[in-house]
């Protein structure tokens, strides 16, 4: 199993940047696709970004494309990052890291919450205006 643990959330002003980290214990994160999701109270959890196991393909939600980057620590293959730039108040949410059941996924699979096997506890990101 790949048990994710998120860190790096916090409070930032609009236009600022944050980097979230996801440490994946168990099998290395390079053996499965990994995704970042976010959720606000009363709304469903939605994909923000996802990365195939090979690291060759990344997917992004339209709302974050060009501002967020998902990447993996290739040296040890145990940490997945989400770099967030030009943050907006609407980016405020609890951010979750999750490990997928498959290695290679398309965008539909990347976006499907049900296809992710293990989830972290979440980290709060708050963007003030």
């Amino acid at each position: 199993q790949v048990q994710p643990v998120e860190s790096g959330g916090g409070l930032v002003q609009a236009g600022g940047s944050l980097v979230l980290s996801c440490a994946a214990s168990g099998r290395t994160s390079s053996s499965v696709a990994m995704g970042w999701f976010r959720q606000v109270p009363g709304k469903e959890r939605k994909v923000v970004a996802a990365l195939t196991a090979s690291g060759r393909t990344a997917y992004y939600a339209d709302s974050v494309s060009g501002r967020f980057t998902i990447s993996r620590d290739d040296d040890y293959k145990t940490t997945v990052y989400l770099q967030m730039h030009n943050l907006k108040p609407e980016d405020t949410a609890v951010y979750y890291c999750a490990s997928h059941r498959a290695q290679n996924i398309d965008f539909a699979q990347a976006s499907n919450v049900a296809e992710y096997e293990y989830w972290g506890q979440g980290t709060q990101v708050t963007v003030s205006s």
Side-chain angles (χ1 to χ4, degrees):
Q1 69 181 48
V2 180
Q3 184 58 53
V5 178
E6 307 95 339
S7 61
L11 174 64
V12 64
Q13 288 188 331
S17 300
L18 278 176
V19 178
L20 304 183
S21 299
C22 175
S25 63
R27 285 189 297 158
T28 64
S29 63
S30 64
S31 63
V32 292
M34 299 292 292
W36 282 98
F37 288 74
R38 65 188 182 188
Q39 187 172 24
V40 297
K43 299 260 181 98
E44 62 181 10
R45 193 170 296 186
K46 292 187 176 181
V47 68
V48 173
L51 188 67
T52 58
S54 67
R56 285 194 286 268
T57 304
Y59 302 102
Y60 297 95
D62 288 342
S63 58
V64 306
S65 183
R67 299 188 297 121
F68 290 13
T69 302
I70 187 172
S71 62
R72 188 178 60 231
D73 171 8
D74 286 329
D75 289 336
Y76 299 101
K77 304 186 187 300
T78 59
T79 303
V80 177
Y81 301 98
L82 184 68
Q83 298 179 60
M84 305 185 294
H85 300 291
N86 189 22
L87 284 161
K88 304 175 181 180
E90 52 264 42
D91 294 319
T92 296
V94 177
Y95 284 70
Y96 297 90
C97 177
S99 58
H100 203 276
R101 301 176 189 276
Q103 292 184 326
N104 297 308
I105 57 176
D106 57 26
F107 183 74
Q109 291 172 300
S111 304
N112 188 350
V113 170
E115 294 202 25
Y116 287 80
E117 190 169 17
Y118 298 103
W119 292 83
Q121 80 287 352
T123 185
Q124 177 71 45
V125 172
T126 303
V127 184
S128 63
S129 57

